[in-house]
């Protein structure tokens, strides 16, 4: 049985999608939709790593 992990703050279970071509006007906006995407992707990757690190190893990998 897998544990349930709870993170404070917004839940980010789904990997962020990159912006569509039409969403970036290429005029150097601050922040650009790409900046926002890469920030969300970094946060998602950190969450995935935390989940991976927090997931207990399976019983078959444990030696008694």
């Amino acid at each position: 049985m897998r544990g349930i992990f709870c993170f404070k703050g917004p839940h980010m279970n789904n990997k962020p999608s990159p912006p569509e071509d039409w969403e970036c006007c290429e005029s150097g906006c601050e922040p650009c939709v790409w900046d926002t995407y890469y920030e969300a992707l970094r946060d998602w990757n950190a969450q995935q790593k935390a989940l991976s690190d927090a997931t207990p190893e399976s019983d078959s990998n444990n030696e008694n």
Side-chain angles (χ1 to χ4, degrees), residues 2-52:
R2 292 186 154 221
I4 297 173
F5 300 97
C6 181
F7 289 89
K8 292 184 178 179
H11 297 283
M12 294 184 59
N13 294 328
N14 297 323
K15 185 175 182 178
S17 299
E20 298 289 333
D21 290 338
W22 58 269
E23 292 181 288
C24 179
C25 64
E26 298 184 23
S27 66
C29 298
E30 281 291 325
C32 176
V33 294
W34 285 101
D35 297 330
T36 305
Y37 164 70
Y38 286 123
E39 182 180 350
L41 186 61
R42 278 191 302 272
D43 291 345
W44 182 83
N45 281 322
Q47 180 198 44
Q48 298 308 303
K49 182 175 181 344
L51 284 170
S52 175

